[in-house]
Amino acid sequence: MSQSSNFQPDPLSDVLEVLGARVTRQTRLEASGDWALSFPALDRLKFVAVLRGMCWIQMEGRAPHPMQAGDVCLIGTTDYAVSSDPTLVPQDGRQLFEDPRRDFVRLGGDEVVSIGGTVTFSGPNADFLLDMLPDFIPVQRHTAGAEAISTVLSLMSQEIERGVIGSTIVRARLADILLVETFRAYAEQAGPDQCGWFGALSDPRIG
């Protein structure tokens, strides 16, 4: 006879499933030398992950945040800039990616390689998630809960380099996994006292 396992509630999966959270567009940026790009606030969630080198994420009212290879961050509904040097004046990055068919931009070389993903929601209550989350959620590769993120980023990097058939759907699935792992790592690092209702999802009594 088979033994039944105890059902463990999974409120994070419930929330993301109800809201229909999916990574609907991925972009890739390669750059060398001096460069800086700015992007306006949009009603969406975005992740930025660094596969090679380092860069800076800048937002108004926050100190510039360095990102090394293996780091990832989630950006909410706020303006931001990404650059090789936070003292540079950024150019409008929308012009480089405004064509939906253009998902790869190279600025000089490949000293820095990063990927970005736009997270959209099909559910009618997406504002609930966006309003409750901080505008900026950084997860560094050496912090607690980030081991799986390093694995996913490695797989995404390999998939980009392979360029074989089926790559689009594989990268889309990996991006969805990266989104969930970033949420997990954030909740583990911050704890319920620092990340409000989101951290409370991890509490077996509250979640």
Side-chain angles (χ1 to χ4, degrees):
M1 296 179 63
S2 62
Q3 294 181 338
S4 61
S5 60
N6 292 328
F7 173 74
Q8 297 294 325
D10 186 0
L12 175 57
S13 293
D14 291 343
V15 168
L16 296 180
E17 189 65 31
V18 167
L19 296 181
R22 293 291 184 274
V23 178
T24 55
R25 185 187 182 191
Q26 287 187 61
T27 56
R28 182 183 180 192
L29 172 67
E30 295 182 357
S32 292
D34 292 334
W35 56 274
L37 302 174
S38 63
F39 298 91
L42 295 174
D43 189 18
R44 54 89 181 102
L45 193 64
K46 181 174 182 178
F47 75 76
V48 175
V50 180
L51 302 181
R52 182 189 305 162
M54 73 87 60
C55 61
W56 295 84
I57 296 288
Q58 299 157 253
M59 296 177 187
E60 186 176 353
R62 290 179 178 271
H65 180 83
M67 291 189 62
Q68 306 282 348
D71 293 350
V72 63
C73 68
L74 290 177
I75 300 171
T77 54
T78 184
D79 298 342
Y80 75 97
V82 57
S83 67
S84 61
D85 183 339
T87 64
L88 296 174
V89 177
Q91 71 177 95
D92 188 351
R94 290 176 299 178
Q95 299 176 0
L96 300 178
F97 293 102
E98 61 183 354
D99 186 341
R101 297 168 299 180
R102 186 180 186 185
D103 294 330
F104 168 61
V105 169
R106 186 181 179 97
L107 302 176
D110 61 357
E111 180 181 315
V112 178
V113 177
S114 69
I115 54 175
T118 299
V119 184
T120 59
F121 304 91
S122 60
N125 298 313
D127 289 345
F128 168 75
L129 179 65
L130 294 175
D131 291 344
M132 291 295 182
L133 287 173
D135 286 336
F136 183 57
I137 300 176
V139 177
Q140 296 176 306
R141 60 179 176 171
H142 295 308
T143 54
E147 299 85 355
I149 290 177
S150 296
T151 300
V152 175
L153 289 180
S154 177
L155 291 171
M156 294 181 80
S157 180
Q158 293 174 31
E159 195 62 31
I160 291 172
E161 296 299 329
R162 291 175 67 192
V164 296
I165 58 174
S167 178
T168 299
I169 193 169
V170 170
R171 287 188 287 114
R173 298 298 181 267
L174 288 172
D176 288 340
I177 295 172
L178 179 62
L179 175 66
V180 175
E181 289 296 345
T182 303
F183 279 139
R184 285 175 171 174
Y186 167 63
E188 183 172 339
Q189 291 177 33
D193 292 338
Q194 297 182 45
C195 55
W197 73 270
F198 188 80
L201 293 179
S202 302
D203 189 295
R205 295 172 299 173
I206 301 174

